[in-house]
Amino acid sequence: MNYKIQGAIRKNRKNFILCAILWIILVIVFVAPFSYSAFQGSHEGKNFITQVPFNITHPFSALGGIFTSGEAIHGFISFLIVFTVAYLVVFFIGFAKTAPKNEFTDFEHGSSDWSKRGEQYEILSKNKGIILAEDNYLPLDKRGNVNVLVVGRFRFW
């Protein structure tokens, strides 16, 4: 189970930053204008439908209006909490879908990624010989059996 979380974190490092930036932009561009339009509609008697497009096109004035009037902050914070919870649910669903299916999901077939800390170099060479995989060669000057079994297919078209 631990490999799934580590694999998903490794795969999504850049996406964490992008999702945080997207959250900030959505809060400024949509959450603040909608909450301020709702405040203007209920407390100032303005029409909510006509205020939303104006506040979306002027998001910083809507954000400033929220903090200048003390009553609009409560509505903004409650709408922000609802938006953040919905955003986190969608984020964690996407995060869970990118988790690897098994422990060897991103390993290349036929590579030496199965070995730990250079174990393969007790037998193989990393410099010259018959190519087995990237940075893995079967040395020609090795004593004993140097037979190689190739499993798979060779495509050359």
Side-chain angles (χ1 to χ4, degrees):
M1 181 65 178
N2 192 19
Y3 67 88
K4 287 189 176 193
I5 295 170
Q6 288 177 347
I9 289 172
R10 184 176 0 107
K11 193 182 276 188
N12 292 312
R13 282 185 184 156
K14 294 177 185 174
N15 293 341
F16 291 144
I17 297 169
L18 290 175
C19 286
I21 292 170
L22 180 65
W23 180 82
I24 291 170
I25 290 171
L26 289 175
V27 165
I28 292 171
V29 173
F30 290 113
V31 175
F34 275 106
S35 65
Y36 190 57
S37 298
F39 171 75
Q40 287 177 329
S42 63
H43 289 80
E44 297 177 5
K46 296 182 180 177
N47 189 359
F48 174 77
I49 301 297
T50 59
Q51 286 302 115
V52 171
F54 176 77
N55 287 331
I56 287 178
T57 56
H58 301 92
F60 293 109
S61 64
L63 195 60
I66 288 171
F67 291 111
T68 56
S69 64
E71 299 172 5
I73 293 175
H74 182 276
F76 172 70
I77 290 175
S78 63
F79 193 60
L80 180 66
I81 290 171
V82 170
F83 172 75
T84 303
V85 167
Y87 190 82
L88 287 175
V89 166
V90 172
F91 175 76
F92 282 119
I93 288 172
F95 182 75
K97 287 191 174 268
T98 61
K101 304 298 181 228
N102 59 36
E103 202 169 345
F104 303 105
T105 297
D106 291 333
F107 287 159
E108 175 188 347
H109 295 291
S111 72
S112 63
D113 291 340
W114 49 267
S115 63
K116 306 274 191 262
R117 295 186 274 320
E119 288 174 336
Q120 75 270 24
Y121 296 123
E122 294 174 7
I123 300 170
L124 305 175
S125 169
K126 64 166 110 173
N127 298 327
K128 60 182 177 179
I130 300 171
I131 299 174
L132 298 178
E134 182 180 353
D135 295 332
N136 284 304
Y137 299 91
L138 182 65
L140 297 175
D141 59 349
K142 181 181 177 294
R143 287 185 156 181
N145 188 356
V146 289
N147 293 332
V148 178
L149 172 65
V150 177
V151 179
R153 58 185 147 200
F154 181 70
R155 296 183 184 167
F156 53 86
W157 60 86

